[in-house]
C-alpha cells in the first residue's frame, strides 16, 4: 500500500531512500468497509487520507436535508477537510467510503513533523494543492459555461471508469442535477451536439 | 510595497531577516493602470502576482462571447493562472487591473530558486493554496446551496468594502447572474428571509 504512495510522491518530487523511509514511518494504513466513515460533522478532522484502493466521498447535508457531494477521492487522491485539519475547528463534512477501501492515514501532528524531516513533502503537498485548486476552479467554470448534459459528457470523458463505479444518485449530486435527469441523459443513444 | 508582502508572509511563517532579504531580492514591483493586462490568452503565464494595492481580475471569454470572471485579487492576494504557470502551457485567461494597482511580481524561475533558498516560502504557498482551495470549494457549494440573492448577500457580508469598488457587471459575472438581476436585488430595501 505504501508503495502506491511513494510512487505517487515521486511523480512530483524525488524522494531518496532515507526520505521514503521517513514517509513510510509517518503513515498508518487502514482497511475500511463500504459505508464506513472517517469523518463526521462536529468532529475535528485529524488527518489527511490517501486512497490506495477504493473510493471515498466528501459530502455535507444541505439545508434541504439532502446529501451534497463536494468531492470524490479515488486511487492516488488525497481527500480531507483541509479547513478543519488546519484550523482545528469542527468539520461540517462527512468523509465516507463508497467501496471497500485501503486508506493511508497521515495525522496532523505527523504531517507537521514530516515537513520538517522531509521538506520535499511540503513541496509535494503544495503541488497537489495547486492541482486541486485549479481543478476546482475549472469545475466551477464548467458549471457556468456548460449545460448539464455537456457537463455530464465532459465528466464521463475525463473519468470513464469512475462513472461505472459510483451509484447514479451520487454522480448526480456531485454534478448538481437530479438522478432523474442523469438517468434520462444516460439513456440517450445519440450524443447531443455542443 | 515589499513590507506588505513580508507582513503577509509572516502571518503564515516567520521569516528571519536574512530570509526576508532573500524574498525582497526575488521580487520586482510594477505600477499598472486600470484596464492594463498582466496576462492574455495564448500566452504562457510567467509569474505569480501579489496585489499590494488595487484590484485585479482573472477572467476568460466563454463560448457565448461573454467575459466570465473566475477570480478577483485585492490587497494581499496572490493571483495567477497556476495551471499555465506550472505546466508552461498557454493560458486561457486574461489577468487585468480593474483599478490602478501596485503589483509585486514573482517570476517562475525566481519562485523555484526562492523555494530552495527559503524553504519556508514553500510552506507559505502551500498554506495559501490550501486556503484558496477550500475557499473555492465553499464558493462552489454556495452556488448549489444558496439562491442567487442569498449568494449576493453572503458575498456582501464577507467583503463589504469590496462590493463598492467593483463595477456591478463584474460582480454579476463573478456571482453568476445578470447585471439586471443584481441591480434588482441591490435596489431592495428589505432583506429577504432565508
Amino acid at each position: 500500500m505504501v508503495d502506491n504512495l511513494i510512487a505517487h510522491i515521486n511523480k512530483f518530487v524525488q524522494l531518496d531512500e532515507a526520505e521514503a523511509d521517513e514517509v513510510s514511518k509517518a503513515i498508518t494504513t487502514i482497511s475500511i468497509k463500504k459505508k464506513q466513515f472517517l469523518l463526521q460533522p462536529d468532529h475535528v478532522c485529524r488527518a489527511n487520507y490517501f486512497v490506495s484502493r477504493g473510493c471515498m466521498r466528501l459530502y455535507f447535508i444541505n439545508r434541504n436535508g439532502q446529501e451534497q457531494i463536494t468531492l470524490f477521492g479515488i486511487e492516488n487522491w488525497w481527500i480531507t477537510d483541509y479547513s478543519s485539519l488546519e484550523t482545528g475547528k469542527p468539520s461540517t463534512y462527512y468523509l465516507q467510503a463508497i467501496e471497500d477501501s485501503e486508506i493511508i492515514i497521515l495525522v496532523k501532528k505527523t504531517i507537521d513533523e514530516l515537513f520538517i524531516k522531509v521538506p520535499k513533502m511540503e513541496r509535494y503537498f503544495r503541488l497537489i494543492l495547486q492541482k486541486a485548486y485549479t481543478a476546482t476552479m475549472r469545475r466551477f467554470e464548467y458549471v457556468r459555461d456548460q449545460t448539464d448534459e455537456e457537463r455530464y459528457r465532459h465528466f464521463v470523458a475525463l473519468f470513464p471508469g469512475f462513472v461505472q463505479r459510483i451509484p447514479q444518485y451520487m454522480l448526480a449530486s456531485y454534478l448538481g442535477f437530479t438522478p432523474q435527469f442523469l438517468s434520462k441523459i444516460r439513456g440517450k443513444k445519440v450524443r447531443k451536439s455542443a
Side-chain angles (χ1 to χ4, degrees), chain A:
Chain A
M1 215 196 287
V2 180
D3 292 349
N4 285 357
L5 174 60
I6 301 293
H8 190 255
I9 296 170
N10 280 333
K11 282 185 194 165
F12 295 87
V13 294
Q14 270 302 320
L15 296 181
D16 63 31
E17 211 168 308
E19 289 166 332
D21 205 47
E22 286 294 346
V23 172
S24 302
K25 281 192 282 180
I27 58 159
T28 51
T29 60
I30 188 176
S31 297
I32 55 169
K33 291 278 171 204
K34 182 176 172 174
K35 300 208 172 173
Q36 270 191 293
F37 292 93
L38 291 177
L39 175 67
Q40 297 199 50
D42 300 325
H43 290 72
V44 174
C45 181
R46 302 283 183 199
N48 203 341
Y49 303 96
F50 180 82
V51 182
S52 184
R53 192 178 61 77
C55 186
M56 306 290 300
R57 65 170 177 149
L58 190 73
Y59 71 94
F60 64 101
I61 304 295
N62 70 17
R63 55 191 184 158
N64 298 322
Q66 291 164 328
E67 292 176 1
Q68 196 170 306
I69 295 177
T70 297
L71 215 61
F72 290 113
I74 52 168
E75 284 81 9
N76 293 338
W77 292 30
W78 287 93
I79 190 163
T80 190
D81 174 358
Y82 280 104
S83 179
S84 173
L85 185 66
E86 196 61 43
T87 62
K89 289 181 186 162
S91 181
T92 51
Y93 293 102
Y94 292 88
L95 180 57
Q96 186 191 36
I98 56 179
E99 295 174 358
D100 293 352
S101 300
E102 309 275 336
I103 304 292
I104 289 177
I105 301 176
L106 198 50
V107 300
K108 172 79 173 121
K109 192 168 163 288
T110 317
I111 298 173
D112 294 338
E113 289 166 1
L114 188 60
F115 285 154
I116 293 164
K117 285 183 193 157
V118 187
K120 281 176 196 167
M121 288 300 285
E122 191 110 44
R123 167 162 304 200
Y124 168 66
F125 276 104
R126 177 180 63 80
L127 293 168
I128 292 289
L129 282 160
Q130 205 166 277
K131 273 181 91 94
Y133 174 49
T134 50
T136 308
M137 287 226 291
R138 289 282 174 203
R139 186 178 155 207
F140 197 75
E141 289 165 4
Y142 290 140
V143 170
R144 294 272 167 81
D145 207 25
Q146 292 181 330
T147 65
D148 286 352
E149 178 160 352
E150 283 166 351
R151 209 157 70 251
Y152 171 72
R153 305 271 175 222
H154 185 85
F155 187 82
V156 171
L158 280 177
F159 309 104
F162 181 57
V163 174
Q164 306 308 318
R165 285 168 62 175
I166 49 169
Q168 192 144 321
Y169 83 93
M170 286 189 192
L171 183 60
S173 166
Y174 178 81
L175 292 174
F177 34 76
T178 65
Q180 291 73 23
F181 179 79
L182 182 57
S183 178
K184 198 176 117 193
I185 56 177
R186 269 188 160 175
K188 277 196 194 175
K189 289 276 185 285
V190 185
R191 189 183 164 141
K192 196 181 155 188
S193 61

